[in-house]
Amino acid sequence: MSERVIIFDTTLRDGEQSPGATMSHQEKLQLAKQLEKLGVDIIEAGFPASSEGDREGVKRIAKELRNARVVGLARAVAEDIETVWRSVEKARNPGIHTFIATSDLHLKHKLRMSQDEVLERTGKAVSLARSLSDWVEFSCEDATRSNPDFLCRVVQTAVDGGAGTINVPDTVGYSYPEEMAGLIRLLREKVKGIEDVVISVHCHNDLGLAVANSLAALKAGARQVECTVNGIGERAGNAALEEIVMLLKTRKEAFAFHTGIVTEQIFHTSRMVTSVTGIPVQPNKAIVGANAFAHESGIHQDGVIKERTTYEIIDPASLGIAKSTLVLGKHSGRNAFRERVKDLGYDLTQIEINRTFDRFKNLADRKKTVFDEDIEAIVAEEVLRASEKYKLVSVTIMSGSDVVPTATVRMEIDGKECHGAELGNGPVDATYNTILKLTGRRPKLLRFSISSITGGTDALGEATIRLEEKGNLAMGKGAHEDILVASAMAMVNALNRLDYLSNMLKPSVRL
Ligand code: KIV
Ligand code: ZN
């Protein structure tokens, strides 16, 4: 009989810890709603003690979601735990996730605590969390590099204190499948009462084994997997939700596990994560990469035409990839537009639909076919980033083989319009010089790239940049038929993220 695996999504917490991946409240809320539609069981909405911005973001998600459990992360200290509870208590299904490191390395250099102190903290943290919430998860950070006997003692303390879920993180992605399985078996053998709690795993991908380690843990008795969409997360990221889910679905005869994930929502969710974090998916990424279903060689193409399953183990339609046959263009009405926006996973109010529809009409007048990517870009610009500090109004560039490139930029800064013009070593350089002069910011440009995201000569160009300012990293993306406008949009997007980081997310605590 197939057993149910609980999907604990941490895209909004561990995923947001990816360098440069800051999301605004509005972006987080849209994504949380999409994660609920995707069918995840638990959403880790943030780390409330880290900043005022995170607390507010978690509170809004807790208030709005209807089905998924909404939890927040807390160190094993009373203040963090109480802060999480205040942030999630209004949720229909709230929860507290508390953790402490258990490896000798972390005890000695990070916590500067003895094993006895860690045991005492564990007991107190779990009891306090349980006095507030019926649902409590306890994690042993760096579990896979911890002394196994000590790990068992810590887990025993957490189970005795009433934690209903015990999470075993491979915090630095150090483990391998047999070892991970052995650890889960050890806990099941040594910890009294563990049969009454859910064992969870949380694997990082530093050695590329996050999904394999998660699967090994499931086979050894874990029943919850912590993962992120597109595998984003701290350093090399976390186990990718879409890979775990599709592995269990595609090879159900081998593993006899199932999840509650609506797989048809996977592709849109992946695109939304890329849109709101600015982190692109590598083309050869399993399940959601642009090439995951592209067949280049003639033999493969011939095989797929004759019978899809010759070279495809997953039907792209089961991920929601099949493109709609309804082409949107200048004759499309508001209803068709509203339906497409909904299909793409966005939950917009009537006012927001009206605003985005006007932009869509404007684009459709200039472009024969409006692609899903265009619509995502419009929603991002008009809704998700509408309340941001910096807005690009227009950009005009003079460039060519015989002139010094000059850019004239009009912007709104805090609602006030301003404009300026600067020269540069190229059109992008001139544009960026002007934007930086107008905003008065001095970030370091770490990366700049342009790619085409739709086909044809009127293809949408997507610019991605990465900035650093005062230790904060921010990604920025912009999509437009004109690659110079896309570049300007990417810069403005990244500056808004930097602004958000330096104001809203002034960190009080960092993990
Ligand atoms: O990687 C890790 O150990 C974590 C814990 C806080 C669960 O993210
Ligand atoms: Zn982690």
Side-chain angles (χ1 to χ4, degrees):
M1 228 232 343
S2 173
E3 279 193 65
R4 175 82 143 80
V5 170
I6 301 167
I7 297 293
F8 177 116
D9 180 277
T10 183
T11 308
L12 295 169
R13 199 277 298 169
D14 217 325
E16 207 198 20
Q17 286 172 225
S18 310
T22 321
M23 297 174 239
S24 68
H25 293 167
Q26 183 67 359
E27 288 171 329
K28 277 192 165 184
L29 185 60
Q30 279 291 335
L31 189 50
K33 287 182 178 173
Q34 178 58 24
L35 289 169
E36 187 165 72
K37 214 158 148 197
L38 176 67
V40 307
D41 300 287
I42 302 169
I43 293 177
E44 187 163 55
F47 175 37
S50 69
S51 68
E52 180 58 40
D54 228 27
R55 280 192 280 289
E56 285 313 307
V58 175
K59 263 189 201 162
R60 280 186 64 181
I61 292 170
K63 254 195 227 154
E64 299 235 5
L65 293 201
R66 290 284 149 263
N67 303 313
R69 183 175 298 285
V70 179
V71 312
L73 182 68
R75 292 168 304 169
V77 290
E79 213 186 320
D80 276 28
I81 293 168
E82 283 155 3
T83 305
V84 166
W85 184 244
R86 281 196 298 275
S87 309
V88 299
E89 65 183 331
K90 297 267 162 36
R92 213 169 249 200
N93 299 304
I96 299 174
H97 175 195
T98 184
F99 75 99
I100 193 163
T102 49
S103 66
D104 289 345
L105 202 68
H106 279 232
L107 261 63
K108 181 169 173 211
H109 298 286
K110 189 181 86 174
L111 298 177
R112 301 206 171 103
M113 277 185 197
S114 66
Q115 292 192 341
D116 284 345
E117 283 170 311
V118 168
L119 286 168
E120 195 191 326
R121 278 272 199 104
T122 302
K124 281 191 175 153
V126 172
S127 306
L128 172 62
R130 278 295 280 119
S131 72
L132 299 167
S133 171
D134 288 342
W135 192 96
V136 171
E137 168 172 318
F138 174 77
S139 287
C140 310
E141 192 189 15
D142 209 15
T144 52
R145 292 192 300 169
S146 301
N147 172 299
D149 291 336
F150 180 58
L151 184 73
C152 289
R153 284 169 64 206
V154 177
V155 171
Q156 186 67 66
T157 307
V159 171
D160 293 345
T165 301
I166 295 293
N167 183 38
V168 184
D170 184 23
T171 302
V172 289
Y174 182 72
S175 201
Y176 57 92
E178 290 78 7
E179 188 178 60
M180 199 74 208
L183 202 53
I184 303 296
R185 278 195 294 268
L186 179 81
L187 292 173
R188 291 182 70 197
E189 202 181 294
K190 299 274 186 226
V191 178
K192 287 194 202 73
I194 196 130
E195 59 285 358
D196 298 325
V197 311
V198 174
I199 301 178
S200 169
V201 276
H202 174 114
C203 299
H204 279 268
N205 207 29
D206 299 65
L207 292 171
L209 289 172
V211 170
N213 286 339
S214 305
L215 179 68
L218 286 177
K219 285 168 74 181
R223 286 297 174 267
Q224 174 176 296
V225 179
E226 301 198 355
C227 46
T228 60
V229 175
N230 296 346
I232 63 169
E234 194 76 55
R235 303 180 312 279
N238 291 59
L241 178 149
E242 62 279 5
E243 294 178 23
I244 293 171
V245 169
M246 292 315 291
L247 169 65
L248 300 184
K249 183 171 172 167
T250 309
R251 301 303 311 273
K252 51 180 176 295
E253 82 299 342
F255 306 120
F257 290 127
H258 65 278
T259 69
I261 295 296
V262 182
T263 61
E264 288 75 13
Q265 292 294 332
I266 285 180
F267 187 64
H268 290 324
T269 315
S270 161
R271 291 231 24 120
M272 194 185 280
V273 168
T274 300
S275 171
V276 302
T277 60
I279 300 179
V281 170
Q282 75 197 58
N284 59 325
K285 162 88 177 60
I287 317 294
V288 291
N291 295 347
F293 297 95
H295 303 279
E296 182 69 24
S297 99
I299 296 174
H300 286 210
Q301 287 175 350
D302 182 56
V304 170
I305 290 165
K306 288 179 177 143
E307 167 53 46
R308 186 189 58 76
T309 54
T310 51
Y311 287 101
E312 269 184 14
I313 57 166
I314 296 168
D315 181 354
S318 69
L319 303 169
I321 289 181
K323 288 273 175 212
S324 164
T325 48
L326 202 66
V327 174
L328 290 190
K330 69 177 180 184
H331 300 297
S332 307
R334 202 175 295 259
N335 274 348
F337 176 75
R338 183 189 296 111
E339 279 313 300
R340 182 62 57 84
V341 169
K342 209 161 122 205
D343 285 349
L344 291 174
Y346 295 96
D347 179 20
L348 304 192
T349 63
Q350 190 55 45
I351 293 171
E352 289 165 342
I353 287 286
N354 292 346
R355 211 162 65 221
T356 43
F357 183 66
D358 288 347
R359 271 281 303 270
F360 158 76
K361 275 295 196 193
N362 194 298
L363 182 66
D365 279 340
R366 289 180 281 128
K367 205 168 179 273
K368 204 165 138 239
T369 306
V370 178
F371 295 101
D372 288 351
E373 289 83 351
D374 295 299
I375 296 174
E376 284 166 344
I378 292 175
V379 173
E381 286 283 309
E382 289 295 320
V383 180
L384 302 182
R385 301 177 197 147
S387 57
E388 290 174 337
K389 182 180 178 83
Y390 306 118
K391 268 189 123 174
L392 183 71
V393 178
S394 68
V395 52
T396 312
I397 292 148
M398 200 169 66
S399 169
S401 54
D402 257 354
V403 288
V404 180
T406 315
T408 307
V409 176
R410 271 183 196 285
M411 291 183 72
E412 268 179 27
I413 302 180
D414 285 329
K416 281 207 197 94
E417 197 162 318
C418 58
H419 65 275
E422 291 292 321
L423 307 175
N425 286 328
V428 175
D429 192 46
T431 308
Y432 284 4
N433 287 343
T434 317
I435 293 175
L436 294 183
K437 184 90 181 279
L438 287 173
T439 56
R441 300 195 87 110
R442 290 282 165 270
K444 197 161 140 203
L445 179 68
L446 301 181
R447 203 171 72 205
F448 168 72
S449 67
I450 296 253
S451 59
S452 152
I453 51 173
T454 55
T457 48
D458 60 354
L460 209 64
E462 186 172 64
T464 308
I465 69 169
R466 193 165 163 155
L467 302 179
E468 192 201 324
E469 189 187 60
K470 296 182 188 139
N472 288 327
L473 279 177
M475 307 275 290
K477 272 162 79 80
H480 199 271
E481 316 89 275
D482 184 322
I483 53 172
L484 295 173
V485 179
S487 308
M489 288 164 82
M491 172 57 94
V492 172
N493 179 220
L495 289 178
N496 276 314
R497 287 179 199 271
L498 279 179
D499 182 66
Y500 184 76
L501 272 173
S502 53
N503 292 319
M504 297 299 289
L505 292 183
K506 263 189 208 110
S508 18
V509 173
R510 273 204 200 281
L511 269 184

